[in-house]
Amino acid sequence: MALQKKLDFIDDEIRKIHMFCTKSGYSACQIESFAKPFFQKESSNFSTSIWVSGKAWKRRGVALATVIISAILLFRFDPAYRLACAMSKQGAIKILPLWDWTQLYHTRCWVSNPLYKQQQGLQFADCEICEGIEAVKRVRDMDGMSLIRFYLSRDHPVVVEDGTRDWGHLANISLTTLAKIYKENKALRKYRSCGFSSNIRVPDSDHVDLLSMVKDGEVNKFYAQWENCNVLAAKAFRSIYKRPYFLPPTVSLSQTNSLFISSNYSGRIYKPAEMNEPMMIFIQVKGETTLKLEAREPCNDHCSVFYERLTQGQILVSTEFMWKVDYLPSRNSENIAIALGGSFA
């Protein structure tokens, strides 16, 4: 039906209704009042409702911000702060029969990690874990679940031979590059390291001065190790390495990191590589290093001692609970290794 026909049909129907109302005895004013709802314009529409709703949300946002700012300012007022603390304590005591919130005080995390185990110290019964280990396995294409299931949860050390496969240009770092980074980076240059050890006597155990001497060719046949214990320095040092690809998200790395360097070193005494973390990740960035893994007391007399030679790109992962790790750098012209601590907490 065409539009004009529709309009004519509606007009005809309206006329019929008007005639019916007139014959029924209704006055013109009454008829007009009856028809008023059909001709009244809609006072609100969709866009208007959205605008009104938007204004309401803006008012609520302003009100919420005002309340928050007022609360912050009020809490800075000591009497108000003490009153709020007292009321909070009273409220906490009243809900205690319904919910024992006191357990949260001794809980390290609100959401517990099922892979985290609280270690109570190595016992003689734990020696059964390591006495059956005949060799340190070497693997490739490691995945996080396998690392947890077959090695870390069993306190079995493992060497990942392709550990730095995704490092790109970072895998080609040298002693000269290290010296340049420590000299140019403000945090690495400013903050002193911890646990500095070397066969070269450096004033104030300054690792930056040692690297400068290495860069200028003033020292030869040396080794050195230190820990970037300052958080800012350790963060800056992370720019030269990547998180190993096989570590699952449940493993959190420590805030600090350690560096081991040497050149033409012919020493024969193994040096300790302690991390004071539940697990150790020893990364051979360049050259070679021999690692000595020995079970801690009282298991050292019942479990085998392993000597593992790491070459460039290989990573050793072991648990500190069971194994003590010492290292001995090779006689290569450049050896660089990085050690990281990790935990499940």
Side-chain angles (χ1 to χ4, degrees), residues 111-132:
V111 180
S112 60
N113 188 339
L115 298 175
Y116 175 72
K117 297 182 297 182
Q118 183 69 36
Q119 303 288 7
Q120 300 297 329
L122 192 63
Q123 305 295 324
F124 183 77
D126 298 319
C127 300
E128 296 178 350
I129 298 173
C130 64
E131 66 177 357

PDB file of all heavy atoms in Angstrom, residues 111-132:
ATOM      1  N   VAL A 111      46.567 -15.991  47.980  1.00  0.00           N
ATOM      2  CA  VAL A 111      46.344 -17.111  47.063  1.00  0.00           C
ATOM      3  C   VAL A 111      47.587 -17.975  47.108  1.00  0.00           C
ATOM      4  O   VAL A 111      48.656 -17.574  46.648  1.00  0.00           O
ATOM      5  CB  VAL A 111      46.071 -16.613  45.627  1.00  0.00           C
ATOM      6  CG1 VAL A 111      45.847 -17.792  44.705  1.00  0.00           C
ATOM      7  CG2 VAL A 111      44.868 -15.670  45.606  1.00  0.00           C
ATOM      8  N   SER A 112      47.476 -19.164  47.666  1.00  0.00           N
ATOM      9  CA  SER A 112      48.645 -20.021  47.850  1.00  0.00           C
ATOM     10  C   SER A 112      49.080 -20.654  46.541  1.00  0.00           C
ATOM     11  O   SER A 112      48.254 -20.959  45.679  1.00  0.00           O
ATOM     12  CB  SER A 112      48.328 -21.119  48.873  1.00  0.00           C
ATOM     13  OG  SER A 112      47.255 -21.913  48.417  1.00  0.00           O
ATOM     14  N   ASN A 113      50.386 -20.826  46.388  1.00  0.00           N
ATOM     15  CA  ASN A 113      50.963 -21.489  45.220  1.00  0.00           C
ATOM     16  C   ASN A 113      51.125 -22.965  45.546  1.00  0.00           C
ATOM     17  O   ASN A 113      51.872 -23.329  46.449  1.00  0.00           O
ATOM     18  CB  ASN A 113      52.326 -20.861  44.901  1.00  0.00           C
ATOM     19  CG  ASN A 113      52.909 -21.362  43.591  1.00  0.00           C
ATOM     20  OD1 ASN A 113      52.527 -22.424  43.104  1.00  0.00           O
ATOM     21  ND2 ASN A 113      53.823 -20.600  43.025  1.00  0.00           N
ATOM     22  N   PRO A 114      50.431 -23.847  44.804  1.00  0.00           N
ATOM     23  CA  PRO A 114      50.520 -25.278  45.130  1.00  0.00           C
ATOM     24  C   PRO A 114      51.901 -25.859  44.921  1.00  0.00           C
ATOM     25  O   PRO A 114      52.198 -26.933  45.426  1.00  0.00           O
ATOM     26  CB  PRO A 114      49.494 -25.914  44.174  1.00  0.00           C
ATOM     27  CG  PRO A 114      49.379 -24.943  43.049  1.00  0.00           C
ATOM     28  CD  PRO A 114      49.562 -23.583  43.666  1.00  0.00           C
ATOM     29  N   LEU A 115      52.768 -25.156  44.168  1.00  0.00           N
ATOM     30  CA  LEU A 115      54.112 -25.662  43.908  1.00  0.00           C
ATOM     31  C   LEU A 115      55.097 -25.254  44.999  1.00  0.00           C
ATOM     32  O   LEU A 115      56.230 -25.746  45.031  1.00  0.00           O
ATOM     33  CB  LEU A 115      54.614 -25.164  42.550  1.00  0.00           C
ATOM     34  CG  LEU A 115      53.789 -25.633  41.347  1.00  0.00           C
ATOM     35  CD1 LEU A 115      54.311 -24.982  40.082  1.00  0.00           C
ATOM     36  CD2 LEU A 115      53.821 -27.141  41.223  1.00  0.00           C
ATOM     37  N   TYR A 116      54.686 -24.333  45.871  1.00  0.00           N
ATOM     38  CA  TYR A 116      55.586 -23.849  46.911  1.00  0.00           C
ATOM     39  C   TYR A 116      55.548 -24.780  48.116  1.00  0.00           C
ATOM     40  O   TYR A 116      54.492 -25.148  48.616  1.00  0.00           O
ATOM     41  CB  TYR A 116      55.192 -22.435  47.341  1.00  0.00           C
ATOM     42  CG  TYR A 116      55.998 -21.914  48.503  1.00  0.00           C
ATOM     43  CD1 TYR A 116      57.334 -21.564  48.324  1.00  0.00           C
ATOM     44  CD2 TYR A 116      55.437 -21.794  49.761  1.00  0.00           C
ATOM     45  CE1 TYR A 116      58.084 -21.096  49.398  1.00  0.00           C
ATOM     46  CE2 TYR A 116      56.175 -21.319  50.828  1.00  0.00           C
ATOM     47  CZ  TYR A 116      57.495 -20.973  50.633  1.00  0.00           C
ATOM     48  OH  TYR A 116      58.236 -20.519  51.686  1.00  0.00           O
ATOM     49  N   LYS A 117      56.717 -25.167  48.584  1.00  0.00           N
ATOM     50  CA  LYS A 117      56.838 -26.020  49.760  1.00  0.00           C
ATOM     51  C   LYS A 117      57.735 -25.339  50.788  1.00  0.00           C
ATOM     52  O   LYS A 117      58.837 -24.899  50.460  1.00  0.00           O
ATOM     53  CB  LYS A 117      57.440 -27.385  49.387  1.00  0.00           C
ATOM     54  CG  LYS A 117      56.605 -28.208  48.437  1.00  0.00           C
ATOM     55  CD  LYS A 117      57.243 -29.556  48.173  1.00  0.00           C
ATOM     56  CE  LYS A 117      58.566 -29.435  47.500  1.00  0.00           C
ATOM     57  NZ  LYS A 117      59.177 -30.735  47.185  1.00  0.00           N
ATOM     58  N   GLN A 118      57.242 -25.252  52.012  1.00  0.00           N
ATOM     59  CA  GLN A 118      58.029 -24.658  53.080  1.00  0.00           C
ATOM     60  C   GLN A 118      59.079 -25.670  53.550  1.00  0.00           C
ATOM     61  O   GLN A 118      58.743 -26.716  54.067  1.00  0.00           O
ATOM     62  CB  GLN A 118      57.120 -24.264  54.247  1.00  0.00           C
ATOM     63  CG  GLN A 118      57.855 -23.572  55.365  1.00  0.00           C
ATOM     64  CD  GLN A 118      58.340 -22.205  54.961  1.00  0.00           C
ATOM     65  OE1 GLN A 118      57.682 -21.501  54.215  1.00  0.00           O
ATOM     66  NE2 GLN A 118      59.504 -21.811  55.444  1.00  0.00           N
ATOM     67  N   GLN A 119      60.365 -25.364  53.340  1.00  0.00           N
ATOM     68  CA  GLN A 119      61.428 -26.289  53.705  1.00  0.00           C
ATOM     69  C   GLN A 119      61.796 -26.093  55.179  1.00  0.00           C
ATOM     70  O   GLN A 119      61.938 -24.973  55.661  1.00  0.00           O
ATOM     71  CB  GLN A 119      62.665 -26.046  52.826  1.00  0.00           C
ATOM     72  CG  GLN A 119      62.393 -26.155  51.323  1.00  0.00           C
ATOM     73  CD  GLN A 119      62.162 -27.580  50.862  1.00  0.00           C
ATOM     74  OE1 GLN A 119      62.068 -28.500  51.674  1.00  0.00           O
ATOM     75  NE2 GLN A 119      62.073 -27.781  49.570  1.00  0.00           N
ATOM     76  N   GLN A 120      61.956 -27.214  55.892  1.00  0.00           N
ATOM     77  CA  GLN A 120      62.278 -27.175  57.310  1.00  0.00           C
ATOM     78  C   GLN A 120      63.741 -27.496  57.577  1.00  0.00           C
ATOM     79  O   GLN A 120      64.136 -27.630  58.717  1.00  0.00           O
ATOM     80  CB  GLN A 120      61.371 -28.178  58.049  1.00  0.00           C
ATOM     81  CG  GLN A 120      59.878 -27.890  57.905  1.00  0.00           C
ATOM     82  CD  GLN A 120      59.489 -26.561  58.508  1.00  0.00           C
ATOM     83  OE1 GLN A 120      60.091 -26.097  59.478  1.00  0.00           O
ATOM     84  NE2 GLN A 120      58.485 -25.924  57.924  1.00  0.00           N
ATOM     85  N   GLY A 121      64.543 -27.632  56.531  1.00  0.00           N
ATOM     86  CA  GLY A 121      65.939 -28.016  56.703  1.00  0.00           C
ATOM     87  C   GLY A 121      66.153 -29.447  56.266  1.00  0.00           C
ATOM     88  O   GLY A 121      65.277 -30.306  56.420  1.00  0.00           O
ATOM     89  N   LEU A 122      67.328 -29.714  55.730  1.00  0.00           N
ATOM     90  CA  LEU A 122      67.642 -31.038  55.214  1.00  0.00           C
ATOM     91  C   LEU A 122      67.813 -32.029  56.355  1.00  0.00           C
ATOM     92  O   LEU A 122      68.587 -31.804  57.285  1.00  0.00           O
ATOM     93  CB  LEU A 122      68.919 -30.963  54.367  1.00  0.00           C
ATOM     94  CG  LEU A 122      69.257 -32.188  53.514  1.00  0.00           C
ATOM     95  CD1 LEU A 122      68.175 -32.432  52.483  1.00  0.00           C
ATOM     96  CD2 LEU A 122      70.610 -31.993  52.830  1.00  0.00           C
ATOM     97  N   GLN A 123      67.073 -33.139  56.281  1.00  0.00           N
ATOM     98  CA  GLN A 123      67.145 -34.197  57.281  1.00  0.00           C
ATOM     99  C   GLN A 123      67.797 -35.437  56.672  1.00  0.00           C
ATOM    100  O   GLN A 123      67.886 -35.574  55.451  1.00  0.00           O
ATOM    101  CB  GLN A 123      65.742 -34.546  57.798  1.00  0.00           C
ATOM    102  CG  GLN A 123      64.967 -33.358  58.341  1.00  0.00           C
ATOM    103  CD  GLN A 123      65.608 -32.758  59.574  1.00  0.00           C
ATOM    104  OE1 GLN A 123      66.174 -33.480  60.406  1.00  0.00           O
ATOM    105  NE2 GLN A 123      65.540 -31.428  59.702  1.00  0.00           N
ATOM    106  N   PHE A 124      68.240 -36.345  57.549  1.00  0.00           N
ATOM    107  CA  PHE A 124      68.893 -37.557  57.066  1.00  0.00           C
ATOM    108  C   PHE A 124      67.956 -38.379  56.175  1.00  0.00           C
ATOM    109  O   PHE A 124      68.389 -38.996  55.204  1.00  0.00           O
ATOM    110  CB  PHE A 124      69.372 -38.407  58.243  1.00  0.00           C
ATOM    111  CG  PHE A 124      70.115 -39.644  57.830  1.00  0.00           C
ATOM    112  CD1 PHE A 124      71.428 -39.573  57.399  1.00  0.00           C
ATOM    113  CD2 PHE A 124      69.490 -40.887  57.849  1.00  0.00           C
ATOM    114  CE1 PHE A 124      72.117 -40.711  56.999  1.00  0.00           C
ATOM    115  CE2 PHE A 124      70.168 -42.035  57.456  1.00  0.00           C
ATOM    116  CZ  PHE A 124      71.479 -41.945  57.034  1.00  0.00           C
ATOM    117  N   ALA A 125      66.671 -38.346  56.481  1.00  0.00           N
ATOM    118  CA  ALA A 125      65.708 -39.093  55.662  1.00  0.00           C
ATOM    119  C   ALA A 125      65.632 -38.541  54.243  1.00  0.00           C
ATOM    120  O   ALA A 125      65.276 -39.263  53.303  1.00  0.00           O
ATOM    121  CB  ALA A 125      64.331 -39.052  56.325  1.00  0.00           C
ATOM    122  N   ASP A 126      65.978 -37.258  54.070  1.00  0.00           N
ATOM    123  CA  ASP A 126      65.932 -36.660  52.733  1.00  0.00           C
ATOM    124  C   ASP A 126      67.044 -37.156  51.823  1.00  0.00           C
ATOM    125  O   ASP A 126      67.010 -36.910  50.618  1.00  0.00           O
ATOM    126  CB  ASP A 126      66.013 -35.130  52.841  1.00  0.00           C
ATOM    127  CG  ASP A 126      64.833 -34.546  53.602  1.00  0.00           C
ATOM    128  OD1 ASP A 126      63.702 -35.030  53.385  1.00  0.00           O
ATOM    129  OD2 ASP A 126      65.043 -33.622  54.403  1.00  0.00           O
ATOM    130  N   CYS A 127      68.049 -37.826  52.388  1.00  0.00           N
ATOM    131  CA  CYS A 127      69.171 -38.291  51.573  1.00  0.00           C
ATOM    132  C   CYS A 127      68.742 -39.335  50.555  1.00  0.00           C
ATOM    133  O   CYS A 127      69.455 -39.596  49.576  1.00  0.00           O
ATOM    134  CB  CYS A 127      70.276 -38.857  52.460  1.00  0.00           C
ATOM    135  SG  CYS A 127      70.950 -37.650  53.633  1.00  0.00           S
ATOM    136  N   GLU A 128      67.577 -39.952  50.776  1.00  0.00           N
ATOM    137  CA  GLU A 128      67.068 -40.901  49.791  1.00  0.00           C
ATOM    138  C   GLU A 128      66.796 -40.231  48.455  1.00  0.00           C
ATOM    139  O   GLU A 128      66.772 -40.885  47.416  1.00  0.00           O
ATOM    140  CB  GLU A 128      65.782 -41.543  50.319  1.00  0.00           C
ATOM    141  CG  GLU A 128      65.973 -42.383  51.569  1.00  0.00           C
ATOM    142  CD  GLU A 128      64.663 -42.950  52.079  1.00  0.00           C
ATOM    143  OE1 GLU A 128      63.606 -42.525  51.553  1.00  0.00           O
ATOM    144  OE2 GLU A 128      64.684 -43.799  52.982  1.00  0.00           O
ATOM    145  N   ILE A 129      66.585 -38.915  48.489  1.00  0.00           N
ATOM    146  CA  ILE A 129      66.299 -38.189  47.249  1.00  0.00           C
ATOM    147  C   ILE A 129      67.491 -38.200  46.319  1.00  0.00           C
ATOM    148  O   ILE A 129      67.362 -38.415  45.108  1.00  0.00           O
ATOM    149  CB  ILE A 129      65.899 -36.731  47.579  1.00  0.00           C
ATOM    150  CG1 ILE A 129      64.625 -36.708  48.418  1.00  0.00           C
ATOM    151  CG2 ILE A 129      65.702 -35.924  46.302  1.00  0.00           C
ATOM    152  CD1 ILE A 129      64.255 -35.330  48.916  1.00  0.00           C
ATOM    153  N   CYS A 130      68.679 -37.966  46.867  1.00  0.00           N
ATOM    154  CA  CYS A 130      69.854 -37.804  46.010  1.00  0.00           C
ATOM    155  C   CYS A 130      70.714 -39.055  45.887  1.00  0.00           C
ATOM    156  O   CYS A 130      71.537 -39.149  44.975  1.00  0.00           O
ATOM    157  CB  CYS A 130      70.712 -36.650  46.512  1.00  0.00           C
ATOM    158  SG  CYS A 130      71.430 -36.901  48.165  1.00  0.00           S
ATOM    159  N   GLU A 131      70.567 -40.034  46.785  1.00  0.00           N
ATOM    160  CA  GLU A 131      71.464 -41.191  46.744  1.00  0.00           C
ATOM    161  C   GLU A 131      71.242 -42.057  45.504  1.00  0.00           C
ATOM    162  O   GLU A 131      72.124 -42.812  45.098  1.00  0.00           O
ATOM    163  CB  GLU A 131      71.300 -42.045  47.999  1.00  0.00           C
ATOM    164  CG  GLU A 131      69.943 -42.709  48.144  1.00  0.00           C
ATOM    165  CD  GLU A 131      69.876 -43.590  49.382  1.00  0.00           C
ATOM    166  OE1 GLU A 131      70.912 -43.707  50.061  1.00  0.00           O
ATOM    167  OE2 GLU A 131      68.796 -44.139  49.673  1.00  0.00           O
ATOM    168  N   GLY A 132      70.054 -41.926  44.896  1.00  0.00           N
ATOM    169  CA  GLY A 132      69.785 -42.710  43.696  1.00  0.00           C
ATOM    170  C   GLY A 132      70.101 -41.984  42.402  1.00  0.00           C
ATOM    171  O   GLY A 132      69.940 -42.555  41.314  1.00  0.00           O
TER     172      GLY A 132
END
